[in-house]
Amino acid sequence: PVPEVGAHNSGQPLQANLDPHGKQRSKFLTNCKKEHDASLQCIHDHYDNRALCEPYFQAYKKCRQKEREQHLEQNAKHVKWWS
């Protein structure tokens, strides 16, 4: 799809960054995809007034913090200290 002239994302590449299997490459792996997608959609819909997206940003931030705490707990369980 060709972006509209003057659209805020008109500088984005027209070809998606696909892996060898034809799937979109990800910069990170997270279980917060729903919150991530919602915040990006809000930015797209309300580009001129991002303050309307603050609840989406906070939900994503909270999800990522919870996910990080879970990773830290899992890592702490697997740490073996030398005696």
Side-chain angles (χ1 to χ4, degrees):
V2 177
E4 298 173 20
V5 175
H8 67 272
N9 61 350
S10 62
Q12 297 296 316
L14 297 179
Q15 299 295 323
N17 186 13
L18 304 178
D19 70 7
H21 303 288
K23 295 187 177 182
Q24 179 69 37
R25 291 179 193 234
S26 179
K27 293 181 182 178
F28 56 90
L29 298 175
T30 180
N31 293 327
C32 301
K33 182 170 175 29
K34 181 179 76 171
E35 292 84 354
H36 181 253
D37 290 345
S39 66
L40 290 179
Q41 184 63 47
C42 184
I43 291 171
H44 180 73
D45 294 343
H46 304 288
Y47 183 73
D48 295 333
N49 188 0
R50 288 186 169 195
L52 296 174
C53 301
E54 192 62 32
Y56 296 100
F57 299 155
Q58 292 302 321
Y60 177 68
K61 184 176 178 181
K62 185 177 179 180
C63 180
R64 292 290 289 172
Q65 286 174 340
K66 183 177 177 183
E67 188 176 62
R68 176 165 166 65
E69 290 171 5
Q70 290 173 347
H71 287 175
L72 290 174
E73 288 174 9
Q74 288 175 352
N75 290 342
K77 291 178 184 176
H78 292 84
V79 172
K80 304 279 187 199
W81 296 104
W82 290 280
S83 41

